Amino acid sequence: MTKIVYIENGGKSHSIDVQNGLTVMEGAIQNNVPGIDADCGGSMACATCHVYVKEEWFNKLPKKEDGEEDMLDMAFEPNKFSRLSCQLTVTDELDGLTVQLPSKQA
Amino acid sequence: MIKTDAVIIGAGPTGLFTAHQLKLIGLDCEVVDNLDKIGGQCIELYPDKPIYDIPAIPECTGEELTNSLIDQLKPFNIKFHLNERVEEVKNNNDRWEVKTNKGTSFNTPNIIIAGGVGSFEPRKFSLKDCEKFEDKSIFYAIKDKTIFKNKTVSIFGGGDSALDWAIELSKNSKVNLIHRRDEFRGAKSTVDKMHKWAKEGSISLYTQYQLKDVKGGPESLESIDIEHDNKEIKHLKTDFVLGFFGLIMQLGPIANWGLNLDKKTINVDTEKFETNQKGIYAVGDICTYPGKLKLILSGFHEGALAARACFKLARPNEKYRFEFTTTSTNLLKRLGKKE
């Protein structure tokens, strides 16, 4: 289990133990963290699992695949710390990863 | 007013197979979908992505699956109403009156909602003030390009729609093209052409900028502010703003039909896949019940059962008889395999 911290747009924080191998998106959905819609179910096709990664974590994450940046063009208010949480697989290295959720997904 | 045994909302894989099941048991049906093509998410979101868990099909893409389902409907004459969204559903003497945004109306005892995650709508600017200019100075699709002639048009987006319109409109308008990063995801030839035109000055290109503010009178836009990643603001005079950010799925009017909703899904029973309203069913990704799996194969099962439930309301004086396509003369006739 790896600790992932989700911070809602209003500031409410959820510290969740997520099983390694799941994605940050799945960790949120399976634990009813509000603010991540994941309409397409994780196929990198909809940009509704958009999160802002805390700056200190951003460069520690595996790099984006080609399609992710394209999809982020579609996200609601993306910035340079934006990622799609369905593309972030939870591993021991991510223990303590903190992501902020946008005010809405669409 | 079109009279039919069942109206299916949504032409994705579940809606298509449900139509097959209805026609097979001798009911007629009409299908409505807000997209301009058949296939739903499979065709709009992942036409090229392989799917590995359709029974008996080891691997197929969203597009191949859609084409096979359309093939399977060939024996039947099914009317599709594309580019139409169902707006209103009203009960009238144990039947339902269904109206679309294009004015088509149906009278039917059965409505099957196979709406996936909702209907596809253009993704809009997040800035609240944009709403008051929508369809006046701010557009998400172009119906009549002549209104832009000799005007200044600011286009946002990085895909083919944004690029194609920037190139097209720059022939007769002053065009600003604004995108949140340097890379564009359009076809390479289009991207190259845009860069060439930007160099020659017929398109003004602003990358790493996003919309920050819109200003103007009550009826029309006068200018916009765009903000660079480094927080620098640029002020641009503009008559029109176009946003091309792809499509987003929204539940839309379904939320107003008195159905028992659970977040973005509709509660149904697992015998008929009926909602809390008699004669309205929900199948595929949009329905929920204990143990629900959001798989295409589950949608097929749900549609097959909902179709049988429709029979009771559409043919109250007849008894539904279960038959196999391998042996039933009736079914084989409907499939066009027997005279």
Side-chain angles (χ1 to χ4, degrees):
Chain A
M1 291 290 211
T2 298
K3 191 176 83 165
I4 307 289
V5 181
Y6 303 86
I7 303 176
E8 287 183 47
N9 194 254
K12 190 173 173 196
S13 168
H14 304 256
S15 181
I16 308 271
D17 287 326
V18 181
Q19 202 182 322
N20 285 356
L22 292 181
T23 63
V24 172
M25 176 276 279
E26 290 166 320
I29 296 288
Q30 294 182 5
N31 292 285
N32 298 316
V33 175
I36 289 187
D37 292 352
D39 283 345
C40 78
S43 61
M44 203 164 74
C46 78
T48 62
C49 66
H50 169 214
V51 297
Y52 305 116
V53 178
K54 272 275 187 213
E55 190 168 355
E56 60 267 30
W57 276 101
F58 192 78
N59 290 323
K60 295 182 196 163
L61 296 174
K63 293 270 165 297
K64 291 170 207 161
E65 272 184 58
D66 283 354
E68 185 178 343
E69 194 67 70
D70 289 349
M71 232 30 252
L72 278 168
D73 281 347
M74 313 282 183
F76 183 85
E77 296 190 335
N79 69 22
K80 59 181 170 175
F81 301 115
S82 289
R83 292 293 305 255
L84 294 181
S85 57
C86 72
Q87 300 303 305
L88 303 173
T89 303
V90 174
T91 57
D92 288 337
E93 289 72 44
L94 297 192
D95 194 46
L97 171 70
T98 305
V99 298
Q100 280 183 303
L101 309 182
S103 60
K104 53 179 186 170
Q105 290 289 354
Chain B
M1 182 88 71
I2 301 168
K3 263 199 152 187
T4 181
D5 292 328
V7 170
I8 298 175
I9 302 172
T14 298
L16 293 175
F17 191 68
T18 304
H20 177 272
Q21 291 293 296
L22 286 164
K23 296 296 280 193
L24 192 65
I25 62 173
L27 301 183
D28 56 65
C29 66
E30 310 246 339
V31 185
V32 183
D33 196 293
N34 198 28
L35 280 179
D36 59 358
K37 47 192 174 296
I38 294 173
Q41 282 189 49
C42 281
I43 218 70
E44 186 59 38
L45 290 185
Y46 44 86
D48 307 323
K49 282 198 178 155
I51 309 169
Y52 300 100
D53 56 0
I54 307 292
I57 303 175
E59 178 180 345
C60 73
T61 65
E63 186 177 13
E64 286 162 355
L65 180 72
T66 301
N67 288 337
S68 301
L69 284 161
I70 294 173
D71 262 357
Q72 205 166 8
L73 290 178
K74 269 206 181 126
F76 309 118
N77 178 24
I78 294 173
K79 176 94 174 95
F80 285 89
H81 304 264
L82 298 175
N83 268 321
E84 287 191 55
R85 187 172 81 168
V86 173
E87 290 293 315
E88 202 184 287
V89 162
K90 255 189 2 208
N91 195 286
N92 182 3
N93 283 334
D94 281 345
R95 291 177 71 92
W96 294 98
E97 278 178 12
V98 178
K99 276 200 190 110
T100 75
N101 61 343
K102 298 277 168 70
T104 311
S105 58
F106 305 92
N107 180 292
T108 180
N110 297 297
I111 300 170
I112 301 181
I113 305 172
V117 195
S119 67
F120 285 91
E121 311 279 338
R123 210 179 280 261
K124 300 181 175 178
F125 287 105
S126 52
L127 197 64
K128 190 91 182 115
D129 282 346
C130 288
E131 283 172 21
K132 60 185 185 208
F133 296 110
E134 202 175 316
D135 291 330
K136 295 175 196 147
S137 308
I138 299 183
F139 298 93
Y140 299 99
I142 293 179
K143 293 187 189 91
D144 173 16
K145 67 176 181 178
T146 60
I147 63 170
F148 305 118
K149 201 172 175 190
N150 301 323
K151 303 280 188 185
T152 303
V153 185
S154 299
I155 300 175
F156 289 79
D160 281 312
S161 303
L163 292 165
D164 288 345
W165 281 114
I167 288 169
E168 174 63 26
L169 295 180
S170 67
K171 293 168 189 163
N172 291 308
S173 318
K174 180 178 171 352
V175 170
N176 301 316
L177 178 61
I178 302 128
H179 183 40
R180 61 173 273 266
R181 58 192 173 109
D182 293 328
E183 299 79 30
F184 285 80
R185 62 181 188 284
K188 189 176 178 300
S189 60
T190 320
V191 177
D192 291 347
K193 191 168 179 183
M194 179 277 295
H195 278 300
K196 183 165 172 276
W197 289 30
K199 219 174 196 170
E200 292 166 4
S202 50
I203 293 175
S204 307
L205 182 61
Y206 300 91
T207 57
Q208 300 182 32
Y209 280 93
Q210 297 189 64
L211 186 64
K212 178 75 179 166
D213 200 5
V214 289
K215 291 166 184 160
E219 286 304 309
S220 61
L221 197 62
E222 281 155 20
S223 66
I224 54 173
D225 286 344
I226 56 175
E227 184 182 49
H228 193 269
D229 282 350
N230 67 18
K231 302 288 169 200
E232 171 216 321
I233 303 259
K234 258 199 169 60
H235 186 74
L236 302 176
K237 284 220 168 316
T238 195
D239 301 297
F240 294 101
V241 166
L242 304 173
F244 296 109
F245 306 111
L247 300 172
I248 177 84
M249 294 169 282
Q250 293 193 316
L251 199 53
I254 293 173
N256 311 323
W257 300 343
L259 303 174
N260 194 358
L261 297 181
D262 177 3
K263 285 182 199 157
K264 290 173 161 183
T265 55
I266 305 170
N267 284 301
V268 292
D269 67 55
T270 49
E271 182 195 344
K272 303 173 179 168
F273 296 89
E274 196 168 34
T275 66
N276 59 330
Q277 303 279 354
K278 189 171 181 226
I280 303 186
Y281 315 82
V283 294
D285 283 358
I286 204 162
C287 77
T288 191
Y289 50 86
K292 166 69 184 174
L293 278 180
K294 281 196 182 189
L295 290 178
I296 290 172
L297 75 91
S298 311
F300 292 161
H301 163 79
E302 293 152 8
L305 267 73
R308 271 65 184 184
C310 290
F311 189 90
K312 284 201 180 88
L313 297 185
R315 304 272 187 278
N317 304 320
E318 291 173 37
K319 193 167 163 24
Y320 167 73
R321 212 156 44 87
F322 175 76
E323 295 169 297
F324 290 111
T325 57
T326 40
T327 48
S328 157
T329 311
N330 268 336
L331 300 190
L332 288 168
K333 272 186 191 162
R334 288 184 195 128
L335 288 162
K337 302 292 181 193
K338 241 182 192 159
E339 287 298 299

